């Protein structure tokens, strides 16, 4: 039996990935909130293995991969992550360090361990980043933008290694703009632009994943924003980003 594993599956994009992938795979649902995973598993009509884990703790990442070592996981959605918004000198340091642990360290560990597990096989790994990871910098969300830049750079580097080795294993990163999820509440933001639905985002991501697109940007608006970045001096572009970011602070 083939499985799809989704971290951060208890809400938002992760939850929609689970719903969509349940049509073709048994599921491994991972998040801190076990009760939410149980509720989701009742909704789905497939086998669901539930693993409660706090991925900000390095040992929990290793425990997760040890628990699934004997399962045939064809799809891995590395979705767990969160953000924060505010003036850097006023934001909470512990929250930022947890963000770095989840958005970078856990993502890195799980990517490494999963790719070693499926080496030489047809398999799919999608790291959920953000359009923030393709932009020079994000005033008032500096730590979050930096973590997602790590994800996009890291993923693209590995993707080229795999391409040169003619590996059948896919790795890519999803870089959406605003999405209507709990992210806003956790990050203390209110987006200036309307967000796309989590379902639409996940559906587009899976379609592009199967087409082996390395950097997946779901909306035309965000594709245009990233394209325009090439033609504007960095300092001016970051100034415009700063104006938009200040509007998000609640």
């Amino acid at each position: 039996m083939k499985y799809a594993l989704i971290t951060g599956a208890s809400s938002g994009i992760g939850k929609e990935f689970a719903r969509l992938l349940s049509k073709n795979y048994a599921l491994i649902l991972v998040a801190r909130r076990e009760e939410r995973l149980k509720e989701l598993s009742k909704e789905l009509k497939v086998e669901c293995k539930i693993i409660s884990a706090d991925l900000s703790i390095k040992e929990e990442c290793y425990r997760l991969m040890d628990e699934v070592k004997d399962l045939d996981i064809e799809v891995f959605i590395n979705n767990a992550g969160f953000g924060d918004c505010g003036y850097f000198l006023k934001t909470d340091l512990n929250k930022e360090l947890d963000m770095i642990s989840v958005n970078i360290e856990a993502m890195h560990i799980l990517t490494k361990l999963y790719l070693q597990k499926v080496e030489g096989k047809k398999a799919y790994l999608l790291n959920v980043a953000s359009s923030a990871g393709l932009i020079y910098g994000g005033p008032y969300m500096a730590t979050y933008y930096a973590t997602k830049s790590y994800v996009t750079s890291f993923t693209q580097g590995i993707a080229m290694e795999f391409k040169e080795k003619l590996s059948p294993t896919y790795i890519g990163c999803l870089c959406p703009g605003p999405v209507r999820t709990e992210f806003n509440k956790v990050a203390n933001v209110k987006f200036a632009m309307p967000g796309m639905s989590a379902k639409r985002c996940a559906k587009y991501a899976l379609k592009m994943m199967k087409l082996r697109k390395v950097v997946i940007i779901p909306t035309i608006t965000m594709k245009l924003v990233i394209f325009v970045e090439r033609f504007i001096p960095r300092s001016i572009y970051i100034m415009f980003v700063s104006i938009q970011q200040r509007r998000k602070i609640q």
Side-chain angles (χ1 to χ4, degrees), residues 193-238:
M193 295 186 297
M196 70 188 304
S197 72
K199 181 177 181 179
R200 180 182 163 210
C201 182
K203 187 174 181 179
Y204 182 83
L206 292 177
K207 179 183 176 182
M208 292 298 104
M209 182 184 81
K210 291 295 183 178
L211 294 175
R212 307 184 74 83
K213 178 75 171 174
V214 175
V215 178
I216 301 170
I217 305 172
T219 64
I220 294 174
T221 300
M222 288 314 306
K223 288 177 182 176
L224 182 61
V225 168
I226 301 304
F227 178 77
V228 168
E229 180 182 34
R230 306 175 191 177
F231 306 100
I232 300 177
R234 183 173 299 210
S235 60
I236 294 176
Y237 194 90
I238 294 177

Side-chain angles (χ1 to χ4, degrees), residues 6 9 23 34 87 101-102 104 120 132 168 190 196:
I6 306 104
K23 298 173 184 177
E34 186 175 2
Y87 181 51
S101 295
V102 176
I104 294 179
K190 182 177 181 180
M196 70 188 304

Side-chain angles (χ1 to χ4, degrees), residues 28 38 41 62 73 92-93 98 110 133 139 148 168 182 196 205 232:
I28 303 164
K38 288 179 178 178
S41 69
Y62 288 103
I73 303 170
D92 184 82
L93 177 59
D98 282 345
L110 297 178
K148 292 306 182 180
E182 292 180 0
M196 70 188 304
I232 300 177

Side-chain angles (χ1 to χ4, degrees), residues 90-245:
K90 301 296 184 181
T91 49
D92 184 82
L93 177 59
N94 288 326
K95 185 176 182 180
E96 289 170 337
L97 293 176
D98 282 345
M99 191 195 314
I100 291 168
S101 295
V102 176
N103 294 9
I104 294 179
E105 190 171 38
M107 182 278 308
H108 188 120
I109 292 169
L110 297 178
T111 295
K112 185 87 163 185
L113 297 182
Y114 176 68
L115 292 179
Q116 288 176 336
K117 172 182 171 63
V118 299
E119 184 178 7
K121 298 179 182 178
K122 181 182 178 182
Y124 300 87
L125 170 63
L126 185 65
N127 287 326
V128 177
S130 166
S131 58
L134 300 172
I135 293 173
Y136 296 132
Y140 304 99
M141 292 187 77
T143 305
Y144 176 74
Y145 272 59
T147 65
K148 292 306 182 180
S149 292
Y150 185 98
V151 178
T152 57
S153 175
F154 176 69
T155 301
Q156 289 177 85
I158 298 169
M160 180 54 69
E161 290 182 26
F162 281 17
K163 182 178 180 179
E164 291 177 352
K165 294 287 186 181
L166 302 178
S167 172
T169 305
Y170 162 89
I171 180 171
C173 54
L174 171 61
C175 299
V179 180
R180 296 193 298 274
T181 68
E182 292 180 0
F183 175 92
N184 303 4
K185 182 178 180 181
V186 174
N188 300 312
V189 302
K190 182 177 181 180
F191 282 115
M193 295 186 297
M196 70 188 304
S197 72
K199 181 177 181 179
R200 180 182 163 210
C201 182
K203 187 174 181 179
Y204 182 83
L206 292 177
K207 179 183 176 182
M208 292 298 104
M209 182 184 81
K210 291 295 183 178
L211 294 175
R212 307 184 74 83
K213 178 75 171 174
V214 175
V215 178
I216 301 170
I217 305 172
T219 64
I220 294 174
T221 300
M222 288 314 306
K223 288 177 182 176
L224 182 61
V225 168
I226 301 304
F227 178 77
V228 168
E229 180 182 34
R230 306 175 191 177
F231 306 100
I232 300 177
R234 183 173 299 210
S235 60
I236 294 176
Y237 194 90
I238 294 177
M239 181 181 69
F240 283 130
V241 173
S242 179
I243 292 169
Q244 287 296 321
Q245 295 295 85

Side-chain angles (χ1 to χ4, degrees), residues 10-22:
S10 61
S11 65
I13 299 173
K15 193 172 187 178
E16 295 302 331
F17 272 123
R19 287 170 172 155
L20 292 167
L21 287 165
S22 69

